[in-house]
Amino acid sequence: MLWRKKEKSIVAKRLPDHIGIIMDGNGRWAKKRGLPRSAGHKAGASNFRKITKYCSKIGIKYLTVYAFSTENWSRPEEEINYLMRLFEQYLKEALSDFEQENIKVLFLGDKTVFSDNLQKLIDEVEKSSQKNTGMVLNIAMNYGGRQEITEAIKKIAVELESNKLKIKNINEKLVSEYLYTAGQPDPDLIIRPSGELRLSNFLLWQGAYSELVFFNVLWPDFSERDLNRALNQYVSRNRRFGGI
Ligand code: IPE
Ligand code: IPE
Ligand code: MG
């Protein structure tokens, strides 16, 4: 593996504890092959399983994947329906992966809009993997960074109103505790395949100092080698956090 060759420098510059991935490019992957967009989503889901296992194997502590945004509801109904069915199928199939790999799964986003069936599955996956002590896998589904911050503001306002919280106690640490990622470290590295150079509402608060790596590869083709390349880029970066 590429980054292993640089083992010495990695000791000084550690691998990221937390990686975020914007799983983009499924539609274009399918179009290139003359297939319907759904085929791209299917291939993307299968790659998601592969990359998740790989991250767990190499010792990544937190992996956050962007699976469906609050803006993706603007897609044609047929595509949304397909994606919802795919999420159900994926979650059923991946349950065994989570057990085998000791992965703890959390869902980031508003779950209440999903079908009863999908909500039940989400609960089941979260509950059954809760005790797992390996990698934490955050699946961002119906997730939007702005929606997350708005919800946090509402929750904080309720606490203020009921005098459980005082204005002087509101600080950045407290705000973080009202986000879906409460208690987790911020992502060190955010990877976006597909060639688009934007965040598309992903981890807006948490990504303040994340290193960004963009790839001109469509998500279903994004391989373990590509992940190693991203890790190599990450270890060569100089993270300053505003310092010198
Ligand atoms: C990402 O792939 C999957 C979701 C957003 C659900 P896209 O469906 O956005 O694929 P492109 O960007 O159209 O190629
Ligand atoms: C971001 O991809 C959301 C996910 C990958 C789930 P989009 O395809 O929705 O982003 P835009 O529309 O290109 O910004
Ligand atoms: Mg896209």
Side-chain angles (χ1 to χ4, degrees), residues 64-71 73 105-114 119 122-123 126 137-149 151-152 155 178-182 184 201-203 206:
T64 302
V65 291
Y66 203 7
F68 193 86
S69 76
T70 45
E71 287 72 44
W73 296 107
V105 186
L106 289 169
F107 290 83
L108 316 185
D110 176 11
K111 304 162 199 169
T112 60
V113 296
F114 296 128
Q119 285 191 55
I122 287 174
D123 279 352
E126 281 187 330
L137 170 65
N138 296 313
I139 305 178
M141 246 165 74
N142 188 25
Y143 172 89
R146 288 184 172 185
Q147 188 267 0
E148 178 181 42
I149 294 167
E151 283 308 305
K155 284 181 208 146
Y178 283 82
L179 302 178
Y180 295 120
T181 49
Q184 300 187 15
N201 210 4
F202 186 51
L203 301 178
Q206 300 90 330

Side-chain angles (χ1 to χ4, degrees), residues 36-199:
R37 290 178 61 86
S38 56
H41 292 313
K42 197 167 179 207
S46 143
N47 201 40
F48 169 27
R49 274 182 86 174
K50 187 173 102 184
I51 296 296
T52 299
K53 280 193 222 164
Y54 184 64
C55 285
S56 157
K57 200 173 83 191
I58 63 172
I60 300 303
K61 296 191 180 92
Y62 297 85
L63 172 66
T64 302
V65 291
Y66 203 7
F68 193 86
S69 76
T70 45
E71 287 72 44
N72 288 147
W73 296 107
S74 64
R75 296 189 177 199
E77 202 182 322
E78 191 192 333
E79 178 163 349
I80 292 174
N81 290 342
Y82 181 84
L83 280 166
M84 295 300 141
R85 283 202 304 276
L86 190 65
F87 291 147
E88 286 191 26
Q89 193 194 332
Y90 164 79
L91 290 180
K92 279 185 202 150
E93 285 173 12
L95 261 170
S96 58
D97 294 354
F98 305 144
E99 272 322 298
Q100 264 167 30
E101 303 283 326
N102 194 23
I103 294 173
K104 177 177 172 168
V105 186
L106 289 169
F107 290 83
L108 316 185
D110 176 11
K111 304 162 199 169
T112 60
V113 296
F114 296 128
S115 70
D116 289 349
N117 238 349
L118 186 51
Q119 285 191 55
K120 250 189 240 159
L121 257 169
I122 287 174
D123 279 352
E124 198 184 320
V125 170
E126 281 187 330
K127 281 202 189 101
S128 69
S129 70
Q130 201 179 26
K131 288 191 200 75
N132 291 348
T133 53
M135 186 175 80
V136 172
L137 170 65
N138 296 313
I139 305 178
M141 246 165 74
N142 188 25
Y143 172 89
R146 288 184 172 185
Q147 188 267 0
E148 178 181 42
I149 294 167
T150 307
E151 283 308 305
I153 291 170
K154 282 193 209 161
K155 284 181 208 146
I156 291 170
V158 168
E159 307 263 286
L160 284 175
E161 228 172 31
S162 57
N163 290 319
K164 282 189 193 141
L165 193 67
K166 292 197 170 71
I167 289 183
K168 68 169 192 220
N169 296 124
I170 300 177
N171 54 33
E172 291 182 10
K173 191 166 175 285
L174 181 125
V175 174
S176 297
E177 290 307 310
Y178 283 82
L179 302 178
Y180 295 120
T181 49
Q184 300 187 15
D186 288 336
D188 303 291
L189 167 66
I190 292 178
I191 304 170
R192 181 168 193 159
S194 90
E196 306 302 347
L197 309 176
R198 55 178 169 262
L199 287 174

